[in-house]
Amino acid sequence: SPQSRSKKKSRKHQRFMERRALLEQKGLLSPRGCLGSQTAEAGPEAHITLTKANGTTAPRCGKVSKPKRVVSASLSPSASPDSIARHHSVLLSQGNGSSKRVRTSSLVLRPGKYVAIDCEMVGTGPQGRLSELARCSVVNYEGDVIYDKYVQPELPIMDYRTRWSGITKQHMKNAIPFKTAQAEILKILKDKIVVGHAIHNDFQALKYFHPKERTRDTSQIPVLKQRAGLPVRANVSLKNLARHLLHKKIQVGCKGHSSVEDAQTAMELYRLVEVQWEKELAHSQPPRPPSPVTDPTADSSQYLDDRYWPTDLMASGL
């Protein structure tokens, strides 16, 4: 009958209105008094007035554009070299491949995770043949100095090697003990990707081994030697790479090397081929094996064994 139909219609309409009110309350639907639908073209401040039949004006709801989703370009501190390289390749594909794009890729990534190091050594032991740390410099991704201190070797200095190290007796007056310097430096290097030239010598002077997957040795990069037009298997000095690729002169004069300058140069060379090098590293490394899944019940059950019981409890139970 028409009456039953109107009842059904009114119930359906009532449920519809309840749902509409709930959506409006949650902000998922425009209020009923507003005209028009939300579009992406209109700005948030767009307000249009409508003329009513009696000549008065009523504001029309502003059409608010939906915010675009922005994908974060940062990586977690524990990101593997594999994920770093994939991220580099994505950034490179988005740009035109210019050097400017390459230089900014790691700034978007994690600039704080990159440091470059260089150490200067002096001779100790019999005839000064033993190399010990006398100065250490660490710079960040931008080349800013974050550590630069002179270090007192553990053994008496027999040869300052000033011609190469730049170290003199005067420098040792304010030098800090080796153990102190070692603790400070290793704290900086922890969880970092460390760049250097022939960096194994620096780690040896620090009596430290850095994880291989987080080490970038500019003396071992074939792409750098190729760019410089030098043999891939040749041992190329930092000085020659800087001259060929960066067009700058380092390690000149008779006052010896500057560990700050050498660390900054190593970082510059790394950034020059960063994207390509990280990509090659990711392809050359074997996939990591999956971590074993442990059964929590099996792990906890072992503590029911007698050997885990306190000694005094065992004695009282006998």
Side-chain angles (χ1 to χ4, degrees):
S1 63
Q3 190 176 1
S4 62
R5 284 179 188 173
S6 63
K7 284 183 180 178
K8 288 180 182 178
K9 191 173 182 181
S10 63
R11 286 173 190 166
K12 188 183 288 184
H13 181 70
Q14 188 176 0
R15 287 197 297 270
F16 168 76
M17 295 303 294
E18 287 174 358
R19 285 197 297 270
R20 184 186 183 102
L22 183 63
L23 291 173
E24 288 177 358
Q25 186 179 357
K26 290 183 178 180
L28 300 174
L29 192 67
S30 301
R32 293 172 61 191
C34 296
L35 300 176
S37 59
Q38 293 180 350
T39 58
E41 290 80 17
E45 66 279 355
H47 292 278
I48 304 172
T49 58
L50 297 179
T51 306
K52 291 184 177 180
N54 58 5
T56 59
T57 58
R60 182 174 179 177
C61 285
K63 299 178 181 179
V64 183
S65 61
K66 294 182 180 179
K68 294 182 180 179
R69 289 184 62 190
V70 180
V71 180
S72 174
S74 61
L75 292 177
S76 64
S78 58
S80 64
D82 222 24
S83 59
I84 294 172
R86 282 196 297 270
H87 193 80
H88 274 101
S89 60
V90 169
L91 289 171
L92 187 61
S93 65
Q94 289 172 351
N96 56 8
S98 65
S99 59
K100 184 178 181 181
R101 184 71 185 179
V102 171
R103 284 197 296 272
T104 57
S105 63
S106 270
L107 291 174
V108 178
L109 259 165
R110 306 174 295 160
K113 300 300 290 185
Y114 294 82
V115 295
I117 190 172
D118 189 75
C119 298
E120 300 298 344
M121 279 73 83
V122 293
T124 63
Q127 300 178 355
R129 291 181 179 177
L130 184 65
S131 292
E132 285 198 58
L133 182 68
R135 183 186 180 185
C136 181
S137 302
V138 183
V139 301
N140 62 14
Y141 185 85
E142 296 298 324
D144 301 322
V145 179
I146 57 178
Y147 188 91
D148 183 31
K149 291 185 181 181
Y150 291 96
V151 183
Q152 183 68 52
E154 294 180 302
L155 295 176
I157 300 174
M158 306 302 294
D159 185 0
Y160 284 94
R161 303 177 184 175
T162 306
R163 180 181 172 186
W164 298 278
S165 68
I167 306 293
T168 63
K169 190 175 181 178
Q170 190 73 18
H171 292 134
M172 291 297 105
K173 288 183 178 180
N174 297 320
I176 62 174
F178 171 78
K179 290 291 183 183
T180 305
Q182 184 189 48
E184 293 174 350
I185 297 162
L186 299 194
K187 188 176 180 181
I188 295 173
L189 302 188
K190 185 181 179 182
D191 298 327
K192 299 289 196 304
I193 294 176
V194 184
V195 181
H197 193 84
I199 201 170
H200 62 279
N201 293 324
D202 303 306
F203 291 151
Q204 187 176 358
L206 286 167
K207 298 181 181 179
Y208 167 70
F209 293 96
H210 196 68
K212 186 177 180 181
E213 66 271 13
R214 291 186 172 270
T215 303
R216 305 291 183 265
D217 191 341
T218 53
S219 69
Q220 303 296 322
I221 317 178
V223 65
L224 272 177
K225 298 173 185 177
Q226 290 170 358
R227 283 202 181 192
L230 301 169
V232 174
R233 294 188 179 182
N235 292 324
V236 184
S237 67
L238 184 68
K239 183 177 182 177
N240 284 337
L241 286 175
R243 188 175 78 250
H244 283 91
L245 298 175
L246 304 176
H247 308 292
K248 73 174 190 177
K249 295 180 180 180
I250 63 170
Q251 301 175 355
V252 294
C254 57
K255 292 184 178 181
H257 301 178
S258 165
S259 52
V260 170
E261 184 182 50
D262 289 355
Q264 289 171 335
T265 303
M267 182 59 83
E268 284 186 70
L269 289 169
Y270 169 75
R271 290 176 60 177
L272 194 65
V273 294
E274 179 181 4
V275 174
Q276 185 177 350
W277 191 14
E278 293 294 343
K279 198 173 181 180
E280 289 177 1
L281 279 175
H283 288 307
S284 64
Q285 289 179 353
R288 293 183 178 181
S291 56
V293 179
T294 58
D295 184 4
T297 57
D299 289 341
S300 59
S301 63
Q302 64 177 332
Y303 293 104
L304 296 176
D305 200 345
D306 289 346
R307 59 198 177 98
Y308 290 103
W309 286 62
T311 310
D312 54 343
L313 190 63
M314 290 288 291
S316 62
L318 296 174

